Amino acid sequence: MTDSNLVSVDQYHPKLAEVMNNVHKVMVGKEQVVELTLVAILAKGHILLEDVPGVGKTMLVRSLARSLGCTFKRIQFTPDLLPSDVTGVSIFNQKELKFEFRPGPIFGHIVLADEINRTSPKTQSALLEAMEEGSVTVDGETRPLPSPFLVMATQNPIEYEGTYPLPEAQLDRFLLKLKLGYPSKDQEVDLLVRLRAGHPIDKLEAVMSIEELVNLQEEVRKVYVEDSVARYMVALARATREHPSVYLGASPRGSIALLHAAQALAFIRGRDYVIPDDVKYLAPYTLGHRIILTSEARLNGASVELIIAEVLKHVSVPVVEEVMKS
């Protein structure tokens, strides 16, 4: 990822600029990923993070949770993990002669679902149902999850032996799909310098309360989206369905994801309206994992990234001046 689409932190919403600066005390050179992670939590969505081990996925989630004053839970997915290990279980209390519910690790504000493709489809479904519904049902009783609620699920793109790839219907549940990538040489040196006297996350303190975050989530939904910009989002999604190299394009859920993500990005960047550049910037992250190429296209070396680049090139962009005047 490049940082060419970033804006100066001075232009950000003041409280969110504080959060980003706080997270950057731990994360080196990951401004774009941190911003997109904030997009997801403000849009009440979830993230699929596909990258190799050791690039800072856990630190990203932990530092975000600490900065926002949220609880952090981690689930290490393994082949023998059961749905009840995620959602929780009812245990019989012999003293009081009744069942008591013991909540699972899904009952956290920010949850790291590590290597989600290593567990069975049944356990994956339990997590994804919780993500979609914002609640879990155990022994016939529905229990709401905390608010705010963000799941960041990770996958290792290198090791596929003994894994259970997420089907398309489950991939569609994630608002964004991101990659962290390796740091540059200078960034890696900076990382080592910071870690000499201990990990900076140990000293990280909250700069926002849960109540403030929930209020910001509500404010995000008030960000104005002009009709021509909404039509542009739909045109992009439809173009992925009609592309000759695409077997399955982005669903209407993809259009909705693009809408909510664009509202969150505009809000983070200090605007109360969405511009076409917000949509263009977010399209690869919101639509890419919802597209399946034809086998012929894959054999010819096509990629989802190239398809989205073509779609962005050929779909007409609304004129910014007209949007601003509306």
Side-chain angles (χ1 to χ4, degrees), residues 30-274:
K30 301 299 179 187
E31 291 84 359
Q32 192 169 15
V33 177
V34 174
E35 180 184 62
L36 290 168
T37 304
L38 281 176
V39 164
I41 195 167
L42 288 173
K44 300 182 181 180
H46 306 283
I47 297 172
L48 180 62
L49 189 56
E50 188 174 78
D51 221 322
V52 297
V55 292
K57 299 186 290 291
T58 303
M59 285 300 108
L60 170 62
V61 188
R62 286 183 61 194
S63 58
L64 180 67
R66 286 206 177 192
S67 298
L68 297 174
C70 294
T71 58
F72 167 74
K73 298 291 180 68
R74 176 178 177 173
I75 309 171
Q76 183 64 52
F77 282 86
T78 56
D80 60 348
L81 197 72
L82 300 174
S84 58
D85 295 327
V86 174
T87 60
V89 64
S90 293
I91 298 176
F92 187 71
N93 186 325
Q94 293 184 341
K95 288 185 178 180
E96 300 185 11
L97 299 178
K98 66 178 183 178
F99 283 94
E100 293 181 349
F101 178 68
R102 301 288 176 87
I106 195 66
F107 284 84
H109 292 114
I110 297 182
V111 180
L112 175 64
D114 212 3
E115 296 190 288
I116 187 176
N117 57 334
R118 291 208 172 277
T119 198
S120 68
K122 187 175 183 179
T123 304
Q124 290 175 356
S125 297
L127 172 71
L128 294 162
E129 180 184 357
M131 290 164 49
E132 182 70 14
E133 304 297 333
S135 61
V136 298
T137 302
V138 179
D139 296 333
E141 184 175 349
T142 301
R143 303 174 188 275
L145 293 170
S147 179
F149 177 60
L150 168 75
V151 170
M152 180 177 284
T154 71
Q155 289 189 143
N156 183 347
I158 305 300
E159 299 177 3
Y160 284 107
E161 185 176 350
T163 62
Y164 303 85
L166 293 175
E168 290 69 37
Q170 294 184 355
L171 285 172
D172 207 26
R173 306 288 179 180
F174 291 95
L175 181 77
L176 305 174
K177 183 179 179 182
L178 307 177
K179 294 182 180 179
L180 271 174
Y182 288 114
S184 67
K185 179 181 177 181
D186 290 341
Q187 290 169 351
E188 196 163 355
V189 171
D190 186 16
L191 178 63
L192 297 185
V193 170
R194 294 189 188 191
L195 293 174
R196 283 186 302 194
H199 207 294
I201 198 169
D202 296 332
K203 299 178 181 179
L204 211 61
E205 296 182 357
V207 295
M208 183 184 293
S209 68
I210 293 175
E211 291 75 18
E212 287 176 311
L213 177 56
V214 171
N215 290 336
L216 291 182
Q217 287 179 325
E218 297 305 315
E219 290 296 317
V220 163
R221 294 299 169 91
K222 299 176 185 177
V223 171
Y224 179 68
V225 181
E226 206 271 338
D227 287 350
S228 66
V229 178
R231 287 194 291 269
Y232 179 51
M233 296 177 189
V234 172
L236 291 175
R238 292 182 65 86
T240 66
R241 302 169 206 162
E242 298 163 0
H243 196 285
S245 297
V246 174
Y247 172 71
L248 182 68
S251 68
R253 186 183 280 131
S255 305
I256 296 169
L258 191 51
L259 167 70
H260 291 161
Q263 287 179 301
L265 181 67
F267 187 81
I268 290 171
R269 294 184 174 184
R271 283 183 276 106
D272 60 0
Y273 56 89
V274 172

Side-chain angles (χ1 to χ4, degrees), residues 280-307:
K280 292 174 68 176
Y281 173 51
L282 289 165
Y285 308 110
T286 54
L287 302 182
H289 58 292
R290 307 173 198 272
I291 296 173
I292 301 176
L293 302 182
T294 63
S295 55
E296 182 180 358
R298 290 196 301 269
L299 288 172
N300 291 331
S303 67
V304 169
E305 290 78 12
L306 288 174
I307 299 302

